[in-house]
């Protein structure tokens, strides 16, 4: 099955079991483990008629390439992840808050970005199909379930997507060390899509040209830059803070 993708660990598996069980095609569980966490997962799998294979540690280790699987793993049909951006935007009950990741290639960074996006109530994460890591087992594990709950939309043409967002009156705000405004003195628009560049080069030129504003994060210490997931957390938290103040 070309759309099969491995997930492992209780956060990722449980998120699938309770949020999107039809996407799970089969589970692999460690033989002899009978604690409450495992029993709850197995009971839910039985309710959803998901096949479960009980295997030894060595089999799970090989399946997960010796990653920390916590005794449970599974395969999903990734085609069940497909979400259209229009569907997300058309069903919102508040101003859009989007996160655009322009060329994130490290799965740990993507997983961490998804986790903070979930925590800050981001409505969708958008990324180009090319030059991006995409969702994989490592991303799901690091995201601690957020990869299964936050819509992740891979687009073939990011510049076109940015233009479509502008047509919906969503401001495109990029993060850049040379930004004309700093995060703590920038009046964040009600409908906003934050753009984060990749780990080394930042945003691509064409992406930068589509931004309505460039905002920097004040650096008061000796380090020159922050990890992309840390920067993401800061801009999203400031967005939520300003929204709360404006709401009174």
């Amino acid at each position: 099955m070309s759309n099969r993708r491995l997930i492992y660990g209780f956060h990722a598996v449980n998120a699938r079991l309770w949020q999107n069980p039809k996407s799970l095609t089969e589970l692999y569980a460690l033989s002899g483990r009978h604690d409450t966490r495992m029993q709850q997962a197995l009971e839910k799998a039985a309710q959803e008629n998901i096949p479960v294979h009980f295997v030894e540690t060595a089999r799970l280790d090989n399946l997960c390439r010796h990653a920390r699987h916590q005794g449970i793993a599974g395969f999903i049909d990734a085609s069940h992840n497909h979400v259209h951006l229009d569907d997300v935007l058309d069903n919102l009950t508040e101003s859009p808050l989007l996160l655009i990741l322009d060329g994130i290639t490290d799965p740990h960074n993507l997983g961490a970005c998804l986790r903070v996006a979930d925590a800050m109530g981001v409505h969708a994460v958008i990324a180009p199909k090319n030059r991006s890591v995409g969702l994989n087992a490592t991303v799901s594990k690091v995201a601690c379930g957020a990869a299964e709950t936050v819509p992740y939309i891979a687009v073939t043409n990011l510049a076109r997507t940015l233009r479509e967002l502008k047509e919906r009156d969503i401001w495109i705000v990029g993060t850049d060390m040379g930004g004309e405004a700093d995060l703590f003195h920038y009046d964040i628009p009600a409908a906003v899509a934050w753009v984060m560049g990749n780990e080394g080069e930042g945003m691509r030129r064409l992406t930068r040209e589509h931004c309505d504003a460039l905002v920097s994060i004040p650096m008061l210490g000796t380090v020159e830059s922050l990890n992309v997931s840390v920067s993401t957390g800061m801009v999203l938290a400031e967005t939520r803070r300003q929204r709360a103040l404006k709401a009174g």
Side-chain angles (χ1 to χ4, degrees):
M1 185 187 297
S2 60
N3 286 316
R4 265 195 5 154
R5 178 163 65 84
L6 177 72
I7 62 173
Y8 52 81
F10 279 103
H11 283 298
V13 171
N14 282 338
R16 282 280 166 174
L17 280 170
W18 270 267
Q19 299 287 338
N20 192 3
K22 293 188 183 302
S23 66
L24 270 165
T25 60
E26 58 184 334
L27 284 180
Y28 289 80
L30 182 63
S31 295
R33 179 166 177 174
H34 304 296
D35 56 273
T36 302
R37 207 175 189 188
M38 180 66 80
Q39 287 302 312
Q40 289 175 341
L42 295 178
E43 288 171 7
K44 180 63 174 175
Q47 292 173 11
E48 302 293 343
N49 296 315
I50 300 168
V52 178
H53 309 284
F54 294 96
V55 296
E56 301 300 323
T57 302
R59 177 78 186 278
L60 268 176
D61 287 344
N62 289 333
L63 188 67
C64 302
R65 298 182 180 179
H66 297 276
R68 201 158 159 258
H69 49 68
Q70 300 176 301
I72 194 165
F75 283 99
I76 64 170
D77 179 357
S79 64
H80 283 264
N81 272 3
H82 190 63
V83 177
H84 289 287
L85 182 57
D86 287 340
D87 293 336
V88 174
L89 296 176
D90 290 343
N91 289 284
L92 293 181
T93 58
E94 64 172 342
S95 296
L97 174 56
L98 306 174
L99 175 63
I100 298 170
L101 302 175
D102 187 23
I104 303 302
T105 58
D106 186 317
H108 294 87
N109 283 343
L110 176 56
C113 285
L114 288 170
R115 189 173 182 179
V116 74
D118 178 83
M120 292 294 104
V122 167
H123 300 118
V125 174
I126 303 166
K129 286 184 178 179
N130 297 325
R131 298 165 58 99
S132 297
V133 62
L135 297 181
N136 58 32
T138 301
V139 172
S140 292
K141 183 69 166 62
V142 174
C144 293
E148 323 308 324
T149 57
V150 178
Y152 179 83
I153 302 169
V155 298
T156 55
N157 189 321
L158 182 58
R160 182 173 60 208
T161 299
L162 296 178
R163 291 193 294 270
E164 291 171 353
L165 293 177
K166 287 171 179 281
E167 291 173 359
R168 285 179 172 265
D169 296 322
I170 298 173
W171 278 66
I172 311 299
V173 183
T175 53
D176 187 86
M177 291 178 63
E180 59 263 27
D182 77 72
L183 178 63
F184 303 133
H185 294 88
Y186 177 64
D187 186 11
I188 300 172
V192 62
W194 281 101
V195 184
M196 314 300 294
N198 77 8
E199 298 89 345
E201 302 172 358
M203 285 182 291
R204 290 175 292 173
R205 177 188 58 80
L206 189 57
T207 303
R208 181 190 300 269
E209 291 175 356
H210 280 82
C211 290
D212 297 303
L214 295 175
V215 173
S216 64
I217 296 176
M219 303 292 289
L220 307 180
T222 58
V223 298
E224 296 182 356
S225 63
L226 297 171
N227 177 276
V228 63
S229 63
V230 175
S231 297
T232 297
M234 292 182 69
V235 301
L236 294 179
E238 177 63 13
T239 303
R240 283 298 180 187
R241 187 190 72 84
Q242 290 191 23
R243 286 191 178 191
L245 286 176
K246 292 173 183 177

